[in-house]
Amino acid sequence: MIQQDIPITNRLGIHARPAAMIAQTAAGFACDIQLTKDDVTVNAKSIMGVMMLAAEFGSHIRLTTNGSDEKEAFAAIKKLFEEKFNEEF
């Protein structure tokens, strides 16, 4: 299992487009992928779940991956956050 807190650095936070990017990326992996904000944990493969977190700019999300391809999944999801979901250059 891999866990790490990741800051939300894109100005618009996790709205529909980033949530879709997370869910689509997560769906490509067999392992369990969860996102946690405050006391709410959701399946990263669910776009509605990801949007439910209401993660705004400056907040933090804990990314947890667990399973056979957890390292690859963790790296792929973390990269989305680091690249600010291609919203800012």
Side-chain angles (χ1 to χ4, degrees), residues 14-33:
I14 306 302
H15 55 91
R17 184 176 168 278
M21 292 174 73
I22 292 168
Q24 287 172 351
T25 301
F29 296 96
C31 67
D32 292 327
I33 305 170

Side-chain angles (χ1 to χ4, degrees), residues 27-85:
F29 296 96
C31 67
D32 292 327
I33 305 170
Q34 296 181 333
L35 298 175
T36 304
K37 181 177 180 281
D38 300 327
D39 292 329
V40 179
T41 299
V42 299
N43 181 345
K45 297 177 183 180
S46 165
I47 186 171
M48 294 305 291
V50 175
M51 287 181 62
M52 232 176 58
L53 293 175
E56 69 279 354
F57 173 75
S59 63
H60 286 79
I61 284 186
R62 173 167 289 155
L63 170 61
T64 305
T65 58
N66 188 19
S68 60
D69 53 358
E70 65 187 30
K71 290 179 184 176
E72 297 85 358
F74 185 87
I77 301 292
K78 185 176 179 186
K79 183 177 177 185
L80 293 174
F81 284 88
E82 290 172 345
E83 293 178 348
K84 300 182 181 184
F85 304 96

